[in-house]
Amino acid sequence: MSGINYFEIEGDARDLGLAHGKAAGELIASALNGWDEGLRTLTGLGRDEFIKRFLAAHNYRPGIAKYTPYLLDEVDAIAEGAEQDPDAIFAWQMVDEWLDYAIETFAVAKCSAFGGYDQGKGLPPLIGKTQDLPHFYLGHTALVRTKTRDGEFLNSGVVGIIGQDGLNDRGVGVCCNHVGHLQRDPSGVPVAFLLRDVLQRAVSVDDAVSIIDSMPSASGMNYVIGDKSQVVDIEVSAHDVVHYNPNPAMKRVWHTNHPLVNEHYADEIELWNNMPDTEAGNTNARFASLEKSLSDDSTPLDLDLAKKTLSSREGPVSSLPDDDFPTVNAMIIEFYDEPVLHFCVGAPSENPFREFTFE
């Protein structure tokens, strides 16, 4: 598929990991080399030393083993299939967690997300997101179609990572954005494992929220979750899930990278609060751009408005390769009876979306 790193994998946890690692082995190697270069620039540490310190400062494996044990087998198998160090592939899963760990060294720009439902005129519920990451992630994103005994799901994220944003064949979709201000649990479940469990098991929005609420969260996050009947937004700190809805009558939500309702803050809250908006990833400017685009509910939230919103250079919501922390991909999900995922590689202001379904 031209322009998109697309893979299909099938089987049990070990089968999935081996297939993922073998199919994406060259891309994974390239991504890890880029991570090493990026870490040297951002933190002054090479990848091996950074991983050693990062893993020593956290205790993720017991929580993962308790709540999502099957995913540890898959991650280890990815390392085997890609012929990479298991600790490196394990740490590679922790996009939000390693960024938090390095936050005192550099500023982080992250993601913009929104959703809406009951928009009238026969339009389905819809969610959308841009994913902004350090430059070395450019070219290393992928759409992975995974088939398990529980069903299928499309995972929109980075090669070598078991779970990020996506859609399952039961019509549940989820996207997330990092909120570093919120309390995190160094022994909690990292985002990739939590998201993957939602994609593999959830049968409704309410079920997805229950899954997220059942686990301690390693990172402060915001999740926009949808199905064919509703869309919800939840801000999640280490042990608290708080629903956010700016205007219940509108049935629309939008969010960037600062907390709006959850007040369970991280110890580093003053660090975040004292950052200028530009150093904190323009989170307020991007929020204002989303609000400007979506707050007029006389304009239906359809696919065209979703694409326009994610393509905006105000904020910017859509960041170019030369910008700090560029947009590495974007995603929109329309929750028809047969849901459709629209995936864009790079900034949607410059690149097209392509459609994917389970048919």
Side-chain angles (χ1 to χ4, degrees):
M1 295 198 174
S2 178
I4 295 179
N5 298 316
Y6 176 82
F7 305 101
E8 294 187 358
I9 57 178
E10 182 175 0
D12 62 16
R14 179 169 169 76
D15 294 333
L16 295 173
L18 286 173
H20 188 162
K22 290 177 180 178
E26 291 185 5
L27 274 171
I28 292 171
S30 173
L32 293 179
N33 288 336
W35 193 24
D36 181 69
E37 294 176 9
L39 285 169
R40 291 179 188 277
T41 300
L42 297 169
T43 71
L45 300 175
R47 186 186 71 208
D48 292 345
E49 180 62 22
F50 179 86
I51 290 172
K52 179 181 177 181
R53 295 189 189 189
F54 169 65
L55 294 180
H58 301 82
N59 190 30
Y60 294 133
R61 281 191 178 270
I64 297 169
K66 178 178 179 179
Y67 293 99
T68 58
Y70 66 102
L71 295 179
L72 286 175
D73 294 335
E74 186 170 336
V75 170
D76 288 341
I78 291 174
E80 182 179 342
E83 299 181 356
Q84 295 291 336
D85 175 61
D87 280 347
I89 295 298
F90 181 66
W92 182 242
Q93 309 301 312
M94 321 304 183
V95 177
D96 296 279
E97 290 78 18
W98 80 255
L99 285 170
D100 269 336
Y101 183 66
I103 190 62
E104 293 183 5
T105 306
F106 61 101
V108 177
K110 293 301 293 293
C111 313
S112 307
F114 62 84
Y117 69 103
D118 195 22
Q119 301 299 310
K121 300 184 180 180
L123 296 173
L126 176 152
I127 64 175
K129 173 191 172 176
T130 55
Q131 183 168 13
D132 303 339
L133 290 170
H135 287 88
F136 56 81
Y137 284 97
L138 284 170
H140 297 115
T141 60
L143 186 69
V144 181
R145 182 169 180 168
T146 301
K147 300 179 182 180
T148 73
R149 65 187 66 184
D150 299 314
E152 296 183 44
F153 55 89
L154 291 162
N155 174 31
S156 156
V158 176
V159 291
I161 294 180
I162 54 171
Q164 290 189 282
D165 311 300
L167 168 71
N168 68 27
D169 61 355
R170 282 139 292 172
V172 180
V174 60
C175 57
C176 68
N177 41 300
H178 177 259
V179 187
H181 310 63
L182 296 178
Q183 185 183 43
R184 43 193 179 266
D185 186 340
S187 300
V189 179
V191 175
F193 294 84
L194 194 156
L195 275 173
R196 168 58 184 278
D197 205 43
V198 167
L199 289 175
Q200 186 146 338
R201 296 200 292 125
V203 297
S204 68
V205 164
D206 293 339
D207 192 28
V209 173
S210 294
I211 290 171
I212 293 169
D213 197 21
S214 72
M215 306 183 199
S217 182
S219 293
M221 298 297 295
N222 184 78
Y223 296 90
V224 180
I225 311 167
D227 61 20
K228 67 180 182 180
S229 64
Q230 63 175 319
V231 169
V232 302
D233 185 292
I234 54 174
E235 286 184 0
V236 179
S237 55
H239 305 285
D240 299 279
V241 172
V242 183
H243 285 255
Y244 166 65
N245 191 339
N247 184 345
M250 286 184 59
K251 299 181 179 178
R252 293 185 187 182
V253 294
W254 50 89
H255 208 288
T256 50
N257 301 112
H258 56 280
L260 301 170
V261 289
N262 194 321
E263 297 182 354
H264 296 89
Y265 299 130
D267 292 339
E268 296 81 1
I269 184 62
E270 292 304 319
L271 171 68
W272 285 96
N273 284 343
N274 291 331
M275 279 186 184
D277 195 42
T278 53
E279 291 184 8
N282 296 308
T283 180
N284 291 296
R286 287 182 289 110
F287 186 87
S289 178
L290 296 181
E291 188 169 51
K292 177 180 176 181
S293 181
L294 300 170
S295 60
D296 180 5
D297 61 357
S298 67
T299 302
L301 179 50
D302 58 9
L303 182 61
D304 287 341
L305 180 57
K307 289 181 178 179
K308 179 181 177 181
T309 301
L310 293 182
S311 299
S312 175
R313 289 289 292 155
E314 291 187 28
V317 174
S318 179
S319 296
L320 303 181
D322 290 337
D323 292 340
D324 292 335
F325 292 86
T327 299
V328 299
N329 62 43
M331 179 190 76
I332 300 168
I333 299 174
E334 294 180 287
F335 295 99
Y336 292 104
D337 287 340
E338 297 295 333
V340 180
L341 184 149
H342 304 263
F343 184 67
C344 171
V345 176
S349 56
E350 291 194 333
N351 300 289
F353 284 87
R354 293 188 59 181
E355 293 186 9
F356 295 84
T357 67
F358 293 104
E359 294 180 353

